[in-house]
Structure formats: C-alpha cells, structure tokens
Amino acid sequence: MKYQSVKGMKDILPGEVGRWQAVETLAREYFSRFGYKEIRSPILEKTELFIRGIGETTDVVEKEMYTFIDRSGDSLTMRPEATAQMCRAYVEHKLHSQTGGWKVFTIGPMFRHEQPQKGRFRQFHQIDVEVIGPEEGLVDAELISMLIGFLEECRVGPVSVRLNSLGCRNCRPAYREKLIEFLKGRQEELCPECRRRLELNPLRVLDCKSAGCKAVVADAPAAADHLCPTCQASFGQVRAGLEGLGLDYELDHRLVRGLDYYVGTTFEVISGKLGGQDAVCGGGRYDGLIAEVGGPDQGGTGFAIGLERLLLLSELDPVSDRPDLFLAHLGQEASFEAFKLGHQLRAAGLKVIFEPGEKSLKAQLRRAGKLEAGSVLILGPEELERRVAVLKDMEPDGEQRELGLDGLSDRVAEIIHGKKA
Ligand code: HAM
C-alpha cells in the first residue's frame, strides 16, 4: 500500500524550506520594529468560537471547516484562520490593560476544506498580525504601512492595495436594509447562491464572482457612502495616514471580505501575478469581536498574509543550509579522526558533514560539491603519517593549505569563521 498526503495538503521539502525561513525570519524582525511580539497557539479550538467569531452564514463556517467530535465528546475545529483565536487568547489571559494595544503576530498552518487550485490549499499557512485594543484610524494606517513595507522587503514586485469601509454596528444596519431593498429589486439577475443569501448576508453579494451579480453590484449603493460620522472620521484617518506616507491604494466599494466580524476599514493586497487567487493578504477592523468572545468592548484590527501566495511572488534569497565543511577521509584510522573532529567543529559553531564509509577522494569531493560545502578537510593515511590534514576551499579558487593535527579543530574553526565574517 502506497500513501499520499491528503488532498490539498502538501509536504514542504527541505529544498524549499530555506525560502519559507527567509520570509518568516524577515517577518519576525520587521514586525518587531513596530513593537509586535510573536504568539503561538493551538491548532484546535472549540467549534463554537469560530461559529460565533467568523459568522454562521460565511463560506468558512458553512462549508469549509474541519470539525470533529473528540474522545471527550467536545466539538473541535482545526483553525481556519487566527483572528478569532487571537481574541480568545486575549480574553482568556486577561490582557486588556495594555496601553497602546496588544500587538501580536503568529505564523502557522490554517485549514479550510476548499477546492484546491493554484495558490489555494486545504492546509495553508498564514502570517497573521493583530492589534487589539485601540480604535484609532491611524492604527490601521500604520498596520497597512507595515504590511506594504514588509511585502516590499520580501521583494514581491508590484501589488495593489484595495481599501473599503463597511461601516459599524451603528451605520451598517441602515445600509444593509438599503442594499437588501436594492438587491430585491433585481433579484432575478442574481445567482442562486446570492438569492439565498440576500436576506441572510447581503454584503456577500457584493463580491460574488458571477457575471450577473457583478452587473447588478455595479449599480448597488456603497457602504462607504453611508458611514456614520465616527466611521467617516476613522476611515478619513486611515486614508490620510496612507497618503501622508505616500502609499497608493484604490477604493473598492465591493471589497466586503468573507468573514462576518469585519466592521469599518477593510483591505486586501492583490497581485496580478497570482492568477485567480490574487489576494496575497486580507484584513480589516473587527471592533465587537472581543466582546462577542466574552471580553470587554474593545476594538481590534489586523491582517493575514497567505504564505504560499507570498512565496509565489517573493524573490528573497533562501536561508542557506550549505555546510561550512565536508570531512573527506581515506582509511579506517582517518575516518575515526574525522568523526571526532566533526564533533569538535560543530561545538565551535560550524556546519560540518561527516559521512562514514569507504569512498574514493574524487567521489567525496564530488559529494562535497553537490552539498555546496564551503571547504573540504582531507585526512588520509599519508596525512596522518605526517600528522597533518589538508584544508581545501571549494571556492573561489580551490586554495589548499596543510594544517598540523595538533590544535586542528581550533585552527580550522578560526579559518572558516574568518572566511564567513
Ligand atoms: P482571509 O482573507 O480569509 O483573512 O485570509 C488571508 C489570506 O490567507 C488570503 O489573502 C490568502 O492569501 C490566504 N488564504 C486564505 N485561504 C487560503 C487557502 N485556502 N489557500 C491558500 N491561501 C489562503 C483571514 O484569514 C483573516 N483572519 C485576516 C485578518 C486578520 N483579519 C483581521 N486580522
């Protein structure tokens, strides 16, 4: 019996991991410039958290969650996203009193039972960033500017930022009624799914991809034109903040996002190079969600970058896993010397490959080349006889030098550390 990984879930092989590490390392460093700290949370949460947090009539909750009853009889779900979970952690650990807000990011796998295609998987990975507490528009502006700066440093090429405001608990209901009224007037032009959703979740009609719905939506009233003074002021701050930093964005009245917790500012970052699944990142404000999961009435805002999509775009150099040194040895005695030397050199901080077994020097040098080792240390019976070893640089010019066996590991470590500095 041969097994394959589960549909829509894949191995990230050692040869690919260096690119993941490069963007993850940059994320940790870049976000810390803005005061964000890393948090790591479980994959599983109580199903109820996502139903309440994300919304019962969203695609994610209706169709995409990996949910099961565990051996204690609890309904658990593999997290489809991290925002609801971050709010749960914030409330559970009573982190309410942080001045300036609780600024966190988390990097890890998410699970949605979607139809796999380019850039869409059932297990995918996100860099999720959240600020919980403050409600000022400038917080969103700084967050979006951080996102754009990070994407630039990831060398993703041209992207566009789409921005919208969906209104809040105060102004959304009136807008919602207006939208339902408008959509009802053109009901027969909508797709069956949108007709079903019309009363339940009319905002989702705005981002339906079917041609008929798109034509209707082109004439639909926009949420951003029906904002209360508070939402207007907040959205104005976001726009002024971005403009003050010289950052481009497009207003997109149809940007509603697929999760029900959004209020006020929402945004997405799109790349033309991604094909059908063109959003590399999505986010927005979710004031009200903290209270929904049992916390105080505080605001929250954040975004999540899809790592697989980011990696389709990023030209960042991978983190190198090339060994510093390959130990080539001929004969049993030299092989044992090399084995011991490897142990000492790793303790001195070097990446050292020792492969036991009898192979010709030529074959060992070929192997060192394949592994892209920086240097090779050659130990054979003749060298042992003379109590020396030969250190050969693999690049740039293959320089060789003989080193005495006494104090060899210190000397080799000194030379290689010097070369790397
Ligand atoms: P989202 O738009 O559902 O938002 O996902 C964010 C990003 O995750 C997407 O733009 C995309 O790059 C990636 N993504 C989503 N689904 C898949 C998939 N099936 N395969 C590959 N990549 C995918 C959220 O998840 C919100 N929690 C973001 C947020 C944080 N809002 C506020 N704070």
Side-chain angles (χ1 to χ4, degrees), residues 204 420-421:
R204 287 313 312 273
K420 283 178 19 166

Side-chain angles (χ1 to χ4, degrees), residues 42-63:
I43 301 296
L44 293 177
E45 292 282 349
K46 300 259 171 69
T47 303
E48 184 62 23
L49 173 72
F50 298 118
I51 297 177
R52 283 187 81 102
I54 299 173
E56 225 159 339
T57 59
T58 56
D59 280 350
V60 170
V61 170
E62 272 188 346
K63 308 180 196 159

Side-chain angles (χ1 to χ4, degrees), residues 66-378:
Y66 281 90
T67 296
F68 62 95
I69 306 294
D70 81 352
R71 286 168 194 273
S72 323
D74 294 323
S75 177
L76 302 181
T77 293
M78 293 168 78
R79 60 181 185 190
E81 60 103 52
T83 309
Q85 176 175 61
M86 292 299 109
C87 293
R88 192 269 304 143
Y90 178 77
V91 175
E92 179 174 343
H93 302 288
K94 299 191 176 61
L95 301 162
H96 316 155
S97 57
Q98 325 247 337
T99 10
W102 191 54
K103 291 171 149 185
V104 287
F105 68 92
T106 193
I107 304 177
M110 308 292 153
F111 302 84
R112 296 184 193 176
H113 195 276
E114 294 190 84
Q115 206 42 47
Q117 62 177 82
K118 183 185 168 198
R120 191 160 76 189
F121 304 94
R122 290 183 175 174
Q123 174 172 339
F124 60 99
H125 299 76
Q126 284 185 343
I127 304 179
D128 180 87
V129 179
E130 312 289 351
V131 191
I132 301 183
E135 298 191 3
E136 291 83 3
L138 273 188
V139 172
D140 298 80
E142 188 186 73
L143 184 84
I144 299 171
S145 75
M146 177 173 87
L147 166 64
I148 298 170
F150 172 66
L151 292 175
E152 263 169 24
E153 292 213 7
C154 284
R155 309 218 308 264
V156 297
V159 288
S160 61
V161 179
R162 305 224 170 121
L163 193 67
N164 193 16
S165 175
L166 297 175
C168 67
R169 280 163 286 178
N170 300 323
C171 49
R172 174 101 59 89
Y175 167 69
R176 194 174 177 275
E177 285 313 310
K178 226 183 190 121
L179 183 62
I180 292 178
E181 199 186 304
F182 168 84
L183 293 172
K184 272 189 174 162
R186 300 192 45 187
Q187 214 172 135
E188 64 294 346
E189 296 170 64
L190 300 177
C191 72
E193 179 74 0
C194 284
R195 249 177 273 154
R196 184 180 75 84
R197 275 202 171 142
L198 205 156
E199 300 263 6
L200 288 172
N201 203 343
L203 264 71
R204 287 313 312 273
V205 179
L206 296 176
D207 73 348
C208 178
K209 303 276 184 288
S210 90
C213 296
K214 272 187 176 168
V216 173
V217 161
D219 307 324
D225 294 335
H226 296 81
L227 300 179
C228 61
T230 315
C231 282
Q232 264 177 28
S234 168
F235 197 44
Q237 268 187 9
V238 180
R239 297 182 60 181
L242 295 179
E243 284 156 27
L245 297 176
L247 299 173
D248 289 335
Y249 62 85
E250 286 165 38
L251 288 179
D252 181 351
H253 294 322
R254 287 179 327 240
L255 178 68
V256 293
R257 316 266 305 118
L259 311 159
D260 276 359
Y261 47 63
Y262 289 113
V263 292
T265 301
T266 53
F267 54 92
E268 272 185 7
V269 179
I270 309 290
S271 162
K273 287 198 234 156
L274 285 175
Q277 301 301 311
D278 59 357
V280 65
C281 173
R285 192 152 265 293
Y286 47 85
D287 305 345
L289 181 56
I290 303 292
E292 188 65 37
V293 300
D297 190 11
Q298 285 186 323
T301 183
F303 63 76
I305 300 173
L307 261 168
E308 284 80 1
R309 296 187 196 173
L310 175 61
L311 285 163
L312 286 173
L313 301 173
S314 169
E315 286 176 9
L316 216 54
D317 291 332
V319 168
S320 166
D321 58 358
R322 293 167 56 178
D324 298 309
L325 186 69
F326 185 91
L327 294 168
H329 47 87
L330 295 165
Q332 236 174 25
E333 202 184 330
S335 169
F336 199 64
E337 269 315 306
F339 167 73
K340 287 192 289 182
L341 209 57
H343 186 71
Q344 290 160 359
L345 288 168
R346 291 183 201 111
L350 296 183
K351 291 184 203 163
V352 182
I353 303 297
F354 166 76
E355 292 179 350
E358 295 277 333
K359 275 193 203 135
S360 70
L361 181 59
K362 205 167 147 197
Q364 293 189 65
L365 288 177
R366 220 181 303 123
R367 174 85 180 127
K370 187 142 189 265
L371 292 171
E372 300 184 72
S375 308
V376 180
L377 191 73
I378 303 165

